[in-house]
Each structure stands twice: as C-alpha cells, then as structure tokens.
Amino acid sequence: MQTGNVTTPFGRRPMTLALVKRQIAVAEIKSGKSADKWMIFRDVKEARETFKLQPYSIAVLDALLTFYPDKELRQDAQMIVFPSNAQLQVRANGMSGATLRRHLAILVDAGMIVRKDSPNGKRYARKDGAGEIERAFGFDLSPLLARSEEFALAAQKVATDRREFLQAKESLTLCRRDVRKVISAAIEEGAEGDWEAIEAVYLDIVRRIPRTPSASDLANILDEMQLLYGEVINQLDMLGNSEDISTNGAQTERHIQNSKPESINELEPSSRTEQSARPSEISRPKREPIKAFPLGMVLRACTQISDYGPGGQIAGWRELMSAAVVVRSMLGVSPSAYQTACETLGPENAAAVMACILERGGQINSAGGYLRDLTQRAEKGKFSLGPMLMALMRANAGNERQAG
C-alpha cells in the first residue's frame, strides 16, 4: 500500500518541485482503483511521441513491468519493483548500462515512474515475519496507474490523428489525380482557355507539399487543390466540354480505381496523350449518420459507465465519450477498433456501445472482437443500437424489482 511519503533521490541526483508534485499525485490515487498493466503499457507505447519517449525508453518500461508479479496495478498494493541494473539489462534485450541509466532517467522525467531510493541507493525489499514485503526501494510504478485515463485518451487521440492523416492523404492524392488528368484532357482536346497558366498553378501547389507533411499541411494543400479543381470544372462547364470529358475518362477511371498510391509526392503524369478522368469521381458517397439515442436512455440502460465519468457521474455526451475511452482501454479494445466504430456509428453511438459492452460484463469474451463485429454489421446496415439498449433497460428493471 502506498504511504504517500515524498522521498528524495540518492546521491547527486537533484530534487525538483516537479518530482514532489508527481509523488503527491501518486498518493492521491482513487481508493480501490486498478488497471491491467499491459493495457496501460500499450496505451503509453501507442502515444509515446506525445510523452516524448524513445523506443529504448519503451523497452525499459516493458522490462520494469515484467518484474511486477501481478497482471493488475492496484491502489492497495505495493507497486515498487527493485531489479538490479544487470537484471534490467537482460530483460531489455542486452541494453548497455549507460543506455539503461539514460532511459530510466527519461521515464522518471516523463512521470512514468518514481524513484524510491534507499539510504545507500541500493534497490531491495524488506519483508515482515510472514514473508510479505513491508518496505521496498526501487522504482514505483504508481504513476502508471494514477495516469491510466490520461494514457488511454492520448492513445485514442493518436489513433484518431493517424486515421485523419491517412484520409487527408488519400483525398489529396485523388484530387491531384483528377486535376492533373482534367487539365491534360483540356489541353489535348484543344479546349479554349489559358490551360498553361492553370497547369502552372497546379504545379506550384504540388511543389509546396512538404516531404514529410503534417495533417494541417495536407488539409491546407487539399483546400487549395479543391479550389483549383472547382475552377477548372467551372471553366469547362462554361465551354460546354464537361460532358465530353466525363465520357472519355470512364475507361481510364475504372482502370486506376484499384491502385493505392503509396507516396503523396508521386507526381501525376503530365503527358498530353493521357486520357482524362471523370471529374465526378472526387466526390464519394457518404453513408447517412446513425441517429444517436437520448443520453438519459443510454445512462438508464448502462448504469456502470457513470463510475468512469468525471467525479463518478456523467452530465453530457462529452463526459460519456471520455468515459468510453477509459473503458475502451480497460477492456482491452484497441484504439484503432474504437476509432473505426466512431467513424461508422458516430462518436455518441460508439460511446453508447462501449457502455453496453461494459454493462454486459462477463457475457462477452472479447470486447474488441465484439465491437469490430458490431461495426461491420453497422456498415452493412444490419445493426441497431435500440434493441441492445432496451434489453439492458429491461434487465436493469428486473434487477431492481428483485432487489425491492
């Protein structure tokens, strides 16, 4: 059990106010809180760049967790591990001593672990008469439990950002292809207009794509490319040539639709003999969003989810969605699976589904597999959240009558 004492580092290692605050925060872990250590580790690993952790730092954290005997980190348990540097080096795939010490310091500075140094700086544990650990000196893993919700939310954000980046990259590639081919078709077929100048604008936009673009870079470039595309199509409409271009490009579009561009900087061919593509292909049909059920209905059907909201209660959809991310991590659902559910069902309905999965507890063997199955069924129009909520509401009502 944590005592809440603030300890200072051994030797010449300095004490900082940040270290004091972290140790105080560890002492304030909610009573009875527990979490799977490997689920926490997966979230930290997924969001390692958010916390400025290097791959070697993740390897050292992995090694430290192997010395903790239980699968779950618990607030009422002793969470200090005390391996020697030699033992850690072995479990960190033979990492050198200097590298190990550097990455232990990085983990401390990042607030992932806290040093609990003994009077002589050695790591060891003192046991009582019954053989139980009475006091230990080493590395305290409590910060991982204290910040488990933060790690889960950070991992989910990384998954969301990655998906948005890939979607923006795909959209820009498609838009570039359409603009390139429509301009080429206009020049090839002798359409009226200053197409050389329009092509120069296109090439200028392409040149400004960074070698390693960020999501915001892609969004800005995509906006410019879509504006150019709109201007090109408008000019062709005024000339009465849009119908011809759409017809000539049909066969080419069917051929290239199956290709997957690997690089955003792959320049489309500018040959004047290439066939044109249909301008309409840039717009993809989107499925109508699934209507969200009333929040009150969700909370009546899923009573347990409120425990994971801020202060143990949920007052709005934002709180429910944050609680669902915490539950997602606790149940072992990957960030990518939950992000796909959010995109298919909508964020409110995805959060409601996580609340339903939590409510059903032991009836579901794999929460991640179950969520993916529901998502796939929803994509085919074969899933509705209503029956699930109604069944849980009836079950809760029955339990209340039995208790009464």
Side-chain angles (χ1 to χ4, degrees), residues 26-250:
V26 164
E28 296 174 350
I29 299 176
K30 182 181 177 181
S31 178
K33 182 178 181 180
S34 64
D36 187 310
K37 66 180 182 181
W38 296 119
M39 293 299 101
I40 297 175
F41 174 75
R42 186 177 70 178
D43 288 338
V44 172
K45 183 178 179 181
E46 183 76 11
R48 69 176 182 83
E49 293 183 358
T50 303
F51 301 103
K52 296 180 173 57
L53 296 178
Q54 303 171 25
Y56 277 176
S57 303
I58 296 296
V60 173
L61 181 61
D62 186 10
L64 284 171
L65 286 172
T66 63
F67 287 96
Y68 185 74
D70 299 329
K71 183 180 179 182
E72 286 195 334
L73 297 175
R74 303 193 317 277
Q75 178 269 339
D76 59 352
Q78 190 282 125
M79 287 184 278
I80 297 176
V81 294
F82 39 90
S84 66
N85 279 0
Q87 291 173 315
L88 276 173
Q89 286 176 252
V90 171
R91 296 201 186 181
N93 301 319
M95 186 180 296
S96 70
T99 302
L100 175 69
R101 289 190 294 272
R102 182 168 68 255
H103 289 283
L104 283 171
I106 289 174
L107 290 173
V108 172
D109 291 340
M112 302 293 165
I113 58 176
V114 171
R115 293 184 187 271
K116 294 289 184 180
D117 287 345
S118 66
N120 61 5
K122 302 295 183 181
R123 301 173 202 145
Y124 60 87
R126 184 182 299 116
K127 298 183 179 179
D128 58 21
E132 298 293 329
I133 294 179
E134 183 178 55
R135 194 172 188 184
F137 298 98
F139 298 105
D140 191 351
L141 303 177
S142 298
L144 296 175
L145 179 60
R147 301 174 64 188
S148 60
E149 294 88 352
E150 177 188 352
F151 299 143
L153 291 170
Q156 192 61 52
K157 185 178 186 304
V158 168
T160 301
D161 291 346
R162 183 184 299 120
R163 181 66 63 90
E164 291 177 351
F165 177 85
L166 292 175
Q167 289 177 341
K169 179 180 178 180
E170 180 187 68
S171 297
L172 180 55
T173 301
L174 291 172
C175 190
R176 284 181 57 189
R177 181 189 71 192
D178 291 339
V179 172
R180 174 71 274 171
K181 289 183 178 290
V182 171
I183 292 175
S184 297
I187 295 175
E188 178 70 20
E189 297 180 20
E192 293 183 11
D194 191 355
W195 296 106
E196 298 292 341
I198 293 175
E199 185 176 42
V201 173
Y202 166 79
L203 293 174
D204 178 66
I205 295 174
V206 171
R207 276 194 294 268
R208 287 188 281 109
I209 300 176
R211 185 177 296 275
T212 54
S214 65
S216 61
D217 292 332
L218 294 181
N220 293 334
I221 295 293
L222 178 59
D223 286 342
E224 291 187 52
M225 193 67 74
Q226 287 176 335
L227 286 173
L228 178 60
Y229 178 79
E231 291 298 323
V232 169
I233 297 302
N234 287 338
Q235 185 162 342
L236 290 175
D237 282 340
M238 288 188 293
L239 294 173
N241 293 333
S242 59
E243 182 177 350
D244 293 337
I245 291 177
S246 178
T247 303
N248 293 338

Side-chain angles (χ1 to χ4, degrees), residues 30 149 299 302-316 319-320 323:
K30 182 181 177 181
E149 294 88 352
L299 296 180
C302 309
T303 58
Q304 297 182 42
I305 191 69
S306 294
D307 294 337
Y308 299 90
Q313 62 181 0
I314 291 174
E319 288 85 353
L320 178 64

Side-chain angles (χ1 to χ4, degrees), residues 262-300:
E262 297 295 331
S263 172
I264 195 168
N265 285 312
E266 179 184 347
L267 186 63
E268 291 289 349
S270 58
S271 170
R272 299 195 179 195
T273 61
E274 64 184 357
Q275 292 177 299
S276 61
R278 288 183 299 175
S280 60
E281 281 297 323
I282 192 170
S283 299
R284 294 184 168 186
K286 295 184 179 180
R287 190 193 314 105
E288 287 297 321
I290 301 174
K291 183 179 179 181
F293 285 79
L295 178 62
M297 180 180 179
V298 176
L299 296 180
R300 286 195 299 274

Side-chain angles (χ1 to χ4, degrees), residues 287 290-291 293 341 344-346 349-350 352-354 356-357 360 370-389:
R287 190 193 314 105
I290 301 174
K291 183 179 179 181
F293 285 79
T344 303
L345 301 169
N349 284 326
V353 168
M354 284 307 307
C356 291
I357 293 175
R360 294 184 63 181
Y370 186 68
L371 180 63
R372 288 185 185 277
D373 179 64
L374 293 183
T375 302
Q376 291 171 359
R377 287 165 56 190
E379 288 176 341
K380 299 175 183 177
K382 297 181 179 180
F383 169 70
S384 174
L385 181 58
M388 182 182 291
L389 292 174

